[in-house]
Amino acid sequence: MYRLRNWLISDNGVSEEDMLQNGNRLMTGNGYLGYRGTVSEAEPSWMPAVIVSGLYDRQGDLWREPVNAPDCLYAKLFVRDEPLMASGENVLSHEQTLDFRYGIYSRETSWTVDGVSVTLHAERITDICNVHRLCMKYAISADAPVTITLKQGINCAVHDLNGPHLGNFRLDKDEKNGLLVLDADTLEKAVPLSVACTVDVAGDVVCGTEVSGEGAFHVYTIKADKDKRFDFFVYGAVYSGADTAEDCGVKARETALSSLAEGWESILSGHRKKWDEIWLKGDVIIEGDDYAQHALRYSLYHLHSIAPRHAKSLSVPARGLSGQTYKGAVFWDTEMFISPYFLCTEPDLVARFIRYRIHTLPGAKRKASEYGYRGAFYAWESQESGDDACSLFNVTDVFTGRPVRTYFRDKQIHISADIVHAIRTYINVTGDTEILKEGAMEVILECARFFLSYLYYSPEHDRYELLDVTGPDEYHERVNNNAFTNRIVFSVFETVQTCVDLLKKQDGGFIEKLFAELSFDTDMAFMHEVMKKFYLPQPDSGNVIEQFDHYFKLEDCSLDTVKSRLCDPREYWGGANGVAGNTQIIKQADVVLMLVLFGNEYSDEIKRANLAYYEPRTEHGSSLSNCMYAQLSCASGNSEWAYPFFIKTAEIDITGTSKQFAGGIYIGGTHPAANGGAWMTAVQGFCGFSMNDGKISCKPRLPEKWKRVVFSVVYNGEHIEVTVTKDGYSLCMK
Ligand code: IFM
C-alpha cells in the first residue's frame, strides 16, 4: 500500500500488480532517460524499463515504440544459488520510496535465510545534471555470517510491449576499471545504442564476470557478517545515435569512468542542487491543505522528470518516459495540457516543444497529402519523424481479439490547430517572435492551409463547415461541426492574421519572402473569405452548445445505464459498436474544454449551463478530462465543486486507479497531461491567474481549506513570486 508524506511517497507492496504500479509511481527521470521505479532484481514481467527519449524502433509489423535500453543498474543477490527477490516468501520487510523533491529512489528489503537476516538498502538517481548518467548506491549487510553473491551489470532481458528492438550486440570489458560496455543497434534503422557501467566497492569482495544471452555482469562473492556493511557504487551511462553524432560506445565508457572518478556523493550533491534550482522556479506552495500540496508537488515532479532540457528540439510523450505505452508518442497533450505550466515557469521548454513541431513539419505535410489535403496535418501520435504512429486499428476487441477500426489518426484534425494555439500562446506570453522565423510561422501557415483544404462550403447554409471529424471526445467518431474543433480551427485563421501583422511590422521582408516561397497569397485571400462565413456553433435557448450536429438526438441515458451494458470491463466504449457511441455519454471534456480555452467569449451563465449539462454525461475516461471541468467550474464561480475534480487530477499517478486498458491494449503509465492539468487548476483555476496583454492578474477563488498559494512565474524574463489569498494577491520580484 502506498503512503504519501511531505516529499516522500512509499509503497511496501510485492505483488506483480504492485510492481507494475510502482514502476510508474516511483519512477525517476531527467528528460532523456526514464527509469521505472522497479526493484533492481525485477523480473521482465514487472516491466522494468530504461526508456530513451527520442529513440524509436519497429519490430516486424508491430507498433513502433520507444526503445527500452539494457539496464546497467541491474543487481540481484543470491544465497546458495537462491535469489533474494522482493517478492520472495523469505522477505521480512520491504519498502520502496521516492523522494520527489530530489528524484531519489530508494528501497530497503530484509530477507531471512537459514535464520540469518540479510538487508539491502539501495538508492539510485537518474542524474538531472548529466542526463546520460544513472547512479546507484547498493549497501548489503547481515546479522550473522553468510556468503552472499551479487550479480550486477548490464541486463538485456528487458520487457518490450512490441519488441525486441535491439540486435548486433557487442560487449567490451575493461577489467582494470571494472567496466562493462554493451553496444547494440536498433533493428529498424540501425541506430547505435551503448550502455556502460562500472562499480566502486569498498571492502573485501571477490569479483568474477559472467556473460550470457541475458547480458554482461560482474559477480561478487561477499563474506557478510554482523557489523560489516558492503557498499557498492554503480555508475552507468547510456547514449544513442538519436542524441549524439559521436561514437556512443566511447561516450558511454567516458561517462561511466568520469562518474567513477567523481564519486556518488559529489554526483548526488550536484543532482540535488539542480533540483533545488528547478523547484525555485517551479514550486507551488498551498497552505491549509497538506494532501493537495503533496499531490500537486508530486505532479510537478513528474513534469520535471520528463522535461527535455538537454535537447533544443524535443517534446514529451503522453505517458512521459514511463514506458512504451501509447507508442511513446507525442499527442496534443503537450500543447494543451503540459505547455501552460512550463510557459509560466520555464518558457524555454515550450520553445523546445515548438521546435519539435517545426522539425516534424515535413511528416505533417506528408500526412496531409496522404489524405488528399494540402498543408500540414500533424500526427495524432507523433514520434521522431512526425509521421503518424497511430494505427488505423488502435484498440483491440476484447471478445474476438480482433483489431477495431478507429479514426483517431484520420479524423482528429484539431491536432494541427492545437499546435497553432500553443505557438500563439507562447508568443503572447514571451513576446519571442524569433521562433516564428525559426519555422513556427511556416507551421502556422501550413496548418491554416490544411484546414482551408479540409473545410466544406455548405450552399444551403451559406457557410463553411468542418465535416467528418473526431473531437476530443473520441467515443463519437466522424461527426460534423464539432464545436471545439470549429472554434479552435477558426483561431488558426485568427493567428495567421495576428502573426502576419506582427511580422510585417517587425520584418516585412521575411513574411513577404515566406509567402512567396509557400505561394500563400491565394490561400490568404481565401482565408479572409472563409473567416466571414465560418460556422461556430452557438448556445441553444438553454445556453447549452451542442457538441456536434445532431448530438442532442442521440439516446440521452445515464452513465450508469451505459456502464450496465458492458459485457466486459475492458470493453472499448467508442467506435461503431461501443456502448457510448449512440448515446450522449462522452469520454472527456469537449465543449467544456472549448469554454475554458475561449472563456472570455462566453458568459458565466453559459459556462454553468454547459457544465451542468455535460458533466453527468461525461465518463472522464481520459486523464485529460477532470481538470477542464475543474477549471470551468472555478471560472464560473464554484471552486468547491471544482475541488474533487482537482484532486482526481493531482492524485492520478499516486493512486494508480486510472484506466489501465483500452479495449485490451495496455495504456498504463504516468499521466503528464493530468500533471499539467493539476497545475492549471490550482494556479489558473483556483488562483484565477492569467498573463495576458502585457499584464499579470489573479482573481482568487480558493477552495475553503486553502489559506494561501504561492507560486513563481517568468514574465518578460523576470522571476516573479505570486502570493494569492482569499482576499487578494501580491507580486514580488525574486
Ligand atoms: O491525447 C489523449 C486523448 O485525448 C485521449 N486518449 C489518450 C490520449 C493520450 O493521453
Side-chain angles (χ1 to χ4, degrees):
M1 186 57 199
Y2 67 84
R3 279 190 302 143
L4 180 67
R5 36 202 167 114
N6 297 318
W7 292 88
L8 300 177
I9 182 162
S10 311
D11 193 279
N12 58 5
V14 292
S15 69
E16 196 147 309
E17 172 62 21
D18 294 323
M19 299 295 181
L20 216 61
Q21 289 285 2
N22 287 330
N24 304 318
R25 190 180 280 138
L26 307 177
M27 74 163 290
T28 54
N30 58 23
Y32 173 62
L33 297 175
Y35 197 106
R36 281 176 61 78
T38 46
V39 291
S40 42
E41 70 275 18
E43 297 285 354
S45 63
W46 302 352
M47 288 200 193
V50 184
I51 297 297
V52 184
S53 153
L55 180 65
Y56 297 88
D57 182 68
R58 178 171 212 164
Q59 163 68 248
D61 60 359
L62 300 174
W63 288 354
R64 288 188 95 238
E65 63 184 11
V67 172
N68 182 3
D71 179 9
C72 54
L73 299 186
Y74 177 83
K76 194 170 185 173
L77 297 172
F78 297 80
V79 174
R80 277 186 284 95
D81 290 340
E82 282 303 313
L84 300 184
M85 304 293 290
S87 58
E89 282 174 5
N90 55 349
V91 169
L92 292 172
S93 63
H94 170 72
E95 186 160 75
Q96 289 169 270
T97 300
L98 173 74
D99 169 345
F100 54 90
R101 175 168 175 107
Y102 290 114
I104 302 172
Y105 163 96
S106 63
R107 63 86 68 95
E108 179 143 327
T109 311
S110 291
W111 296 265
T112 177
V113 194
D114 297 339
V116 179
S117 103
V118 176
T119 298
L120 164 65
H121 177 86
E123 279 177 39
R124 68 174 182 242
I125 58 168
T126 307
D127 188 11
I128 198 111
C129 299
N130 178 344
V131 295
H132 297 275
R133 188 148 76 174
L134 292 161
C135 304
M136 174 170 77
K137 178 180 174 183
Y138 195 85
I140 304 159
S141 56
D143 66 355
V146 60
T147 302
I148 303 170
T149 304
L150 165 64
K151 180 174 165 185
Q152 194 291 314
I154 304 173
N155 184 30
C156 299
V158 295
H159 172 92
D160 286 310
L161 292 180
N162 294 290
H165 295 297
L166 296 169
N168 190 21
F169 290 101
R170 285 100 62 204
L171 175 70
D172 192 14
K173 285 188 287 179
D174 172 351
E175 309 273 356
K176 195 172 121 240
N177 290 303
L179 186 76
L180 299 169
V181 186
L182 189 76
D183 299 304
D185 297 323
T186 60
L187 300 183
E188 184 192 14
K189 295 186 178 170
V191 181
L193 174 79
S194 295
V195 179
C197 76
T198 182
V199 179
D200 183 14
V201 51
D204 192 12
V205 295
V206 180
C207 178
T209 317
E210 182 187 307
V211 178
S212 70
E214 296 208 331
F217 308 90
H218 289 122
V219 180
Y220 300 91
T221 307
I222 304 157
K223 299 272 183 214
D225 201 345
K226 178 155 79 80
D227 303 330
K228 267 189 177 176
R229 207 177 84 169
F230 296 82
D231 287 348
F232 292 79
F233 296 94
V234 185
Y235 303 100
V238 180
Y239 282 83
S240 99
D243 46 81
T244 179
E246 294 179 60
D247 184 316
C248 295
V250 171
K251 296 295 292 175
R253 172 190 300 258
E254 282 171 3
T255 300
L257 290 179
S258 63
S259 306
L260 177 72
E262 184 178 349
W264 167 259
E265 289 304 334
S266 163
I267 293 172
L268 188 63
S269 131
H271 173 79
R272 283 172 171 272
K273 202 162 152 243
K274 178 74 187 172
W275 273 104
D276 278 335
E277 285 166 24
I278 287 173
W279 289 116
L280 209 59
K281 297 185 215 157
D283 194 17
V284 178
I285 298 169
I286 301 172
E287 281 179 18
D289 186 347
D290 286 350
Y291 185 66
Q293 169 72 89
H294 304 330
L296 179 58
R297 279 182 167 154
Y298 179 73
S299 300
L300 300 180
Y301 160 79
H302 276 291
L303 290 178
H304 286 293
S305 63
I306 58 170
R309 296 186 178 86
H310 64 285
K312 208 174 162 230
S313 146
L314 196 64
S315 195
V316 286
R319 287 288 182 266
L321 299 174
S322 66
Q324 293 160 319
T325 306
Y326 282 140
K327 312 172 191 95
V330 178
F331 290 62
W332 68 317
D333 303 34
T334 303
E335 280 75 17
M336 307 302 277
F337 295 80
I338 299 167
S339 290
Y341 169 59
F342 287 129
L343 185 55
C344 291
T345 54
E346 273 185 77
D348 280 359
L349 283 166
V350 180
R352 287 164 165 80
F353 302 155
I354 294 174
R355 283 193 208 101
Y356 166 78
R357 295 303 191 176
I358 294 172
H359 165 82
T360 50
L361 177 63
K365 286 165 80 173
R366 279 193 291 276
K367 179 173 168 186
S369 115
E370 176 196 329
Y371 282 101
Y373 301 107
R374 300 185 305 127
F377 181 6
Y378 273 89
W380 181 242
E381 299 185 16
S382 185
Q383 299 176 333
E384 78 279 41
S385 69
D387 291 294
D388 210 326
C390 186
S391 142
L392 297 181
F393 298 84
N394 226 32
V395 298
T396 309
D397 180 62
V398 283
F399 305 109
T400 60
R402 291 196 188 120
V404 176
R405 179 67 166 102
T406 48
Y407 292 88
F408 309 126
R409 183 193 204 272
D410 327 48
K411 298 296 170 189
Q412 285 207 60
I413 60 166
H414 66 83
I415 177 66
S416 288
D418 305 331
I419 291 165
V420 172
H421 172 84
I423 299 173
R424 179 186 175 144
T425 316
Y426 171 82
I427 293 166
N428 270 352
V429 170
T430 62
D432 169 17
T433 48
E434 278 310 300
I435 199 109
L436 290 173
K437 296 193 203 162
E438 273 186 59
M441 191 66 225
E442 191 174 338
V443 168
I444 296 171
L445 296 182
E446 292 295 1
C447 288
R449 173 130 75 189
F450 165 65
F451 291 118
L452 291 173
S453 76
Y454 193 94
L455 50 75
Y456 164 79
Y457 175 71
S458 160
E460 265 167 48
H461 296 103
D462 185 26
R463 68 187 186 199
Y464 290 95
E465 303 185 342
L466 290 170
L467 306 184
D468 198 8
V469 307
T470 302
D473 160 30
E474 295 170 330
Y475 288 164
H476 295 92
E477 296 178 321
R478 311 196 66 165
V479 301
N480 295 338
N481 293 314
N482 167 253
F484 165 83
T485 305
N486 284 26
R487 180 62 191 88
I488 199 156
V489 167
F490 189 70
S491 120
V492 172
F493 303 144
E494 294 173 321
T495 304
V496 169
Q497 194 56 64
T498 310
C499 291
V500 165
D501 290 349
L502 198 67
L503 283 178
K504 268 189 184 158
K505 272 191 219 140
Q506 290 181 356
D507 187 350
F510 170 81
I511 199 75
E512 213 173 289
K513 192 159 162 266
L514 187 63
F515 265 51
E517 272 168 21
L518 303 181
S519 312
F520 202 78
D521 285 325
T522 331
D523 292 291
M524 190 72 171
F526 180 47
M527 187 188 92
H528 285 139
E529 282 314 301
V530 167
M531 287 177 82
K532 287 182 209 152
K533 294 184 176 178
F534 194 74
Y535 175 46
L536 296 173
Q538 296 302 313
D540 67 6
S541 56
N543 277 332
V544 180
I545 299 169
E546 190 171 31
Q547 189 173 291
F548 50 82
D549 291 352
H550 310 307
Y551 166 83
F552 289 146
K553 295 209 170 76
L554 295 175
E555 183 189 349
D556 193 13
C557 57
S558 73
L559 191 56
D560 283 342
T561 305
V562 165
K563 275 189 190 155
S564 73
R565 292 175 184 165
L566 289 170
C567 300
D568 183 304
R570 289 182 180 185
E571 208 177 310
Y572 183 57
W573 290 32
N577 297 324
V579 285
N582 294 316
T583 74
Q584 290 191 30
I585 296 301
I586 64 172
K587 180 180 181 185
Q588 65 198 87
D590 196 309
V591 169
V592 163
L593 168 57
M594 180 189 80
L595 295 174
V596 171
L597 290 184
F598 301 97
N600 52 5
E601 295 170 15
Y602 299 94
S603 68
D604 285 357
E605 233 179 347
I606 293 176
K607 290 174 189 165
R608 283 194 283 265
N610 283 278
L611 267 180
Y613 190 85
Y614 283 107
E615 203 291 319
R617 292 169 176 80
T618 307
E619 182 214 3
H620 299 294
S622 158
S623 60
L624 280 51
S625 192
N626 284 301
C627 65
M628 288 300 159
Y629 282 83
Q631 285 177 78
L632 194 65
S633 181
C634 289
S636 53
N638 194 347
S639 301
E640 292 314 315
W641 190 88
Y643 184 78
F645 291 89
F646 163 74
I647 290 292
K648 273 189 203 141
T649 301
E651 69 179 11
I652 189 163
D653 292 326
I654 297 172
T655 61
T657 48
S658 63
K659 227 184 222 184
Q660 300 292 301
F661 284 88
I665 303 280
Y666 177 64
I667 57 166
T670 56
H671 299 80
N675 303 151
W679 179 87
M680 283 195 270
T681 308
V683 170
Q684 299 179 170
F686 294 135
C687 298
F689 170 79
S690 69
M691 268 205 286
N692 267 328
D693 306 326
K695 63 175 200 296
I696 291 183
S697 74
C698 291
K699 278 193 201 142
R701 39 220 179 187
L702 303 186
E704 184 62 31
K705 281 201 240 171
W706 294 20
K707 294 197 171 69
R708 210 164 74 110
V709 181
V710 184
F711 56 92
S712 290
V713 294
V714 177
Y715 198 53
N716 290 332
E718 305 282 354
H719 279 264
I720 297 172
E721 188 175 84
V722 186
T723 302
V724 181
T725 62
K726 289 208 172 60
D727 310 320
Y729 69 98
S730 61
L731 308 177
C732 165
M733 291 282 216
K734 268 183 133 178

